[in-house]
């Protein structure tokens, strides 16, 4: 990378919304082939043998970060930052007449914070949010479902378009009606958030005018470094070292250090590529990878040999030692049906899954709990979803099995 392109990367905004056609996946580390099969992806993404001059930390001597420290250096995102970036990106569209440009669709991959950012923006701007219907309301095809909510002028915000359809013979009319009404301009300005998997499916059933579509730009390595380093600087004044446990290389740059001999890890470049730039998944992997050595903080506070040494070092597990969920070798059609349905609808209850799939209650339950055992799905209240850490493996499996997948 040239110095000018490196500077451009450093100056790029952390949160940036772009036209869907301008979305760019993060680059894969050049030392590894893009043709590597997913099952060996993590195994092959390794650094060279560690330098003997760098410190090593045995895995068995490390433990997970205390929850209070994890919440300090990697907290739940403040979605107002993303909302502000979205507001800026939509400024030209907002200035246009509603009859000429009535709808803006914001598409986001699972766990990317798409609906959270839209809700934050609606709150910031005092825009009204449309409530999503219950499954039984979708199946009843109630054409008056939204008319009771739409009173007065917009802009209106529907954060979850994926929640107003079901892939069922009786579950598609409502979404067609809503999109047609929104695109007519009769509602005024309408901002629609939609999960990327649902959007891939909806495009096949909608034949009307194509609305404007934007998405959050992928979090590549520079963005991840900028975001994670910013959190640590804000919460600790930069008084943390983030290093790889196996070879001591730095994962995040040091503040006010310009020693060009320091060796840096490409861990976050691998995370960006593996997560396909999905911020939520990258953050989950980041939180999973960080560990600490019990008593290290106290030891370093009493050290007199290096008085300028930060108070604590966080050790990052090397990529090839991370225990990320993978699919069982004997995975079959039942698992594929359920995983695909969960992603197309951004989560479903067991009862709705049974309605949409040609599987018995016994098979649905048995398959869900088997996938849960492999940490590929989880249940939040009554809703089953693919787990963030399991999502990359699930997506690759469905794509290789020729199921409809999203474009992210």
């Amino acid at each position: 990378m040239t110095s000018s392109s490196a500077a451009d990367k450093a100056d790029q905004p952390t949160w940036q919304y772009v036209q869907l056609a301008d979305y760019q996946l993060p680059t894969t580390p050049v030392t590894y082939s893009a043709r590597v099969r997913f099952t060996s992806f993590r195994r092959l993404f390794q650094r060279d043998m560690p330098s003997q001059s760098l410190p090593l930390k045995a895995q068995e001597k490390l433990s997970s970060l205390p929850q209070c420290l994890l919440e300090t250096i990697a907290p739940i995102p403040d979605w107002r930052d993303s909302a502000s970036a979205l507001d800026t990106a939509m400024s030209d569209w907002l200035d246009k007449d509603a009859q000429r440009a009535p709808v803006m669709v914001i598409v986001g991959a699972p766990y990317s914070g798409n609906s959270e950012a839209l809700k934050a923006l609606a709150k910031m701007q005092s825009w009204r949010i449309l409530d999503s219907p219950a499954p039984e309301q979708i199946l009843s095809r109630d054409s008056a479902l939204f008319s009771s909510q739409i009173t007065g002028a917009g802009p209106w915000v529907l954060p979850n378009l994926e929640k107003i359809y079901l892939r069922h013979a009786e579950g598609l009319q409502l979404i067609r009606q809503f999109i047609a009404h929104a695109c007519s301009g009769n509602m005024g300005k309408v901002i629609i958030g939609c999960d990327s998997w649902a959007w891939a499916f909806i495009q096949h059933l909608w034949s009307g005018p194509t609305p404007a579509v934007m998405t959050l730009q992928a979090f590549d390595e520079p963005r991840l470094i900028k975001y994670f380093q910013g959190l640590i600087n804000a919460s600790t004044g930069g008084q943390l070292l983030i290093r790889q446990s196996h070879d001591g290389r730095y994962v995040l740059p040091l503040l006010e250090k310009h020693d060009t001999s320091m060796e840096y890890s490409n861990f976050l470049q691998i995370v960006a590529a593996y997560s396909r730039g999905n911020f939520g998944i990258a953050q989950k992997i980041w939180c999973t990878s960080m560990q600490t050595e019990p008593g290290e903080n106290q030891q370093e506070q009493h050290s007199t040999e290096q008085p300028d040494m930060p108070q604590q070092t966080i050790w990052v597990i090397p990529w090839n030692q991370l225990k990320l969920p993978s699919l069982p070798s004997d995975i079959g059609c039942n698992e594929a049906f359920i995983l695909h349905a969960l992603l197309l609808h951004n989560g479903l209850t067991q009862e709705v899954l049974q309605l949409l799939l040609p599987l018995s209650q016994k098979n649905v339950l048995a398959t869900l709990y088997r996938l849960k055992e492999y940490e590929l799905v989880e249940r939040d209240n009554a809703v089953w979803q693919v787990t963030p850490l399991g999502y990359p493996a699930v997506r690759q499996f469905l794509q290789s099995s020729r199921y409809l997948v999203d474009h992210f």
Side-chain angles (χ1 to χ4, degrees), residues 67-87:
Q67 188 63 29
C68 58
L69 178 57
L70 190 60
E71 291 174 356
T72 298
I73 65 175
I76 296 173
D78 184 346
W79 296 112
R80 291 175 298 180
D81 295 334
S82 182
S84 295
L86 177 56
D87 191 32

Side-chain angles (χ1 to χ4, degrees), residues 66-343:
Q67 188 63 29
C68 58
L69 178 57
L70 190 60
E71 291 174 356
T72 298
I73 65 175
I76 296 173
D78 184 346
W79 296 112
R80 291 175 298 180
D81 295 334
S82 182
S84 295
L86 177 56
D87 191 32
T88 299
M90 291 196 306
S91 60
D92 289 342
W93 172 80
L94 287 168
D95 289 338
K96 293 179 181 178
D97 181 79
Q99 290 298 321
R100 292 193 300 117
V103 176
M104 172 66 76
V105 178
I106 311 300
V107 176
Y111 321 109
S112 63
N114 199 53
S115 63
E116 290 87 347
L118 278 170
K119 291 173 184 176
L121 178 58
K123 184 176 181 180
M124 289 165 54
Q125 299 289 6
S126 298
W127 294 339
R128 283 175 285 185
I129 296 177
L130 297 173
D131 296 326
S132 301
E136 55 270 19
Q137 292 176 299
I138 295 173
L139 294 173
S140 71
R141 299 183 291 178
D142 183 1
S143 59
L145 183 65
F146 287 104
S147 60
S148 60
Q149 298 185 57
I150 302 171
T151 55
W156 300 94
V157 177
L158 179 69
N160 304 98
L161 184 65
E162 66 271 15
K163 296 303 181 184
I164 67 169
Y165 89 101
L166 291 171
R167 194 177 57 168
H168 182 277
E170 306 296 324
L172 302 177
Q173 182 173 330
L174 182 62
I175 193 169
R176 287 192 177 105
Q177 291 174 341
F178 176 79
I179 296 176
H181 188 42
C183 289
S184 71
N186 293 332
M187 291 175 60
K189 291 285 187 179
V190 185
I191 303 163
I192 299 174
C194 188
D195 182 86
S196 56
W197 288 74
W199 186 246
F201 177 77
I202 291 167
Q203 287 180 295
H204 288 279
L205 60 91
W206 173 247
S207 57
T210 302
V213 183
M214 300 188 77
T215 189
L216 178 66
Q217 186 58 280
F219 268 69
D220 53 13
E221 181 188 28
R223 280 191 170 92
L224 290 177
I225 289 175
K226 187 175 183 180
Y227 180 78
F228 293 141
Q229 186 71 70
L231 290 176
I232 290 174
N233 292 348
S235 60
T236 70
Q239 296 302 299
L240 279 179
L241 291 176
I242 312 294
R243 308 179 74 177
Q244 290 262 237
S245 63
H246 70 308
D247 60 14
R249 287 186 172 95
Y250 293 92
V251 180
L252 294 178
L254 301 178
L255 286 179
E256 301 177 356
K257 297 287 184 180
H258 304 286
D259 186 351
T260 57
S261 67
M262 287 184 175
E263 297 190 61
Y264 285 91
S265 165
N266 69 346
F267 180 81
L268 286 177
Q269 185 184 17
I270 297 172
V271 171
Y274 180 79
S275 65
R276 299 174 64 87
N278 186 312
F279 167 74
I281 294 171
Q283 186 185 43
K284 191 71 174 179
I285 295 173
W286 178 243
C287 292
T288 301
S289 71
M290 291 189 290
Q291 296 199 326
T292 186
E293 188 175 23
E296 180 180 31
N297 187 36
Q298 291 77 11
Q299 293 171 6
E300 293 184 354
Q301 283 179 333
H302 292 89
S303 173
T304 57
E305 296 179 4
Q306 294 177 293
D308 63 336
M309 188 174 184
Q311 291 183 341
Q312 188 173 5
T313 297
I314 301 297
W315 299 100
V316 172
I317 303 172
W319 180 256
N320 65 322
Q321 294 180 26
L322 273 177
K323 296 179 180 178
L324 298 176
S326 60
L327 279 76
S329 58
D330 60 344
I331 191 167
C333 292
N334 286 2
E335 289 87 351
F337 289 158
I338 286 178
L339 291 170
H340 196 233
L342 292 179
L343 287 172

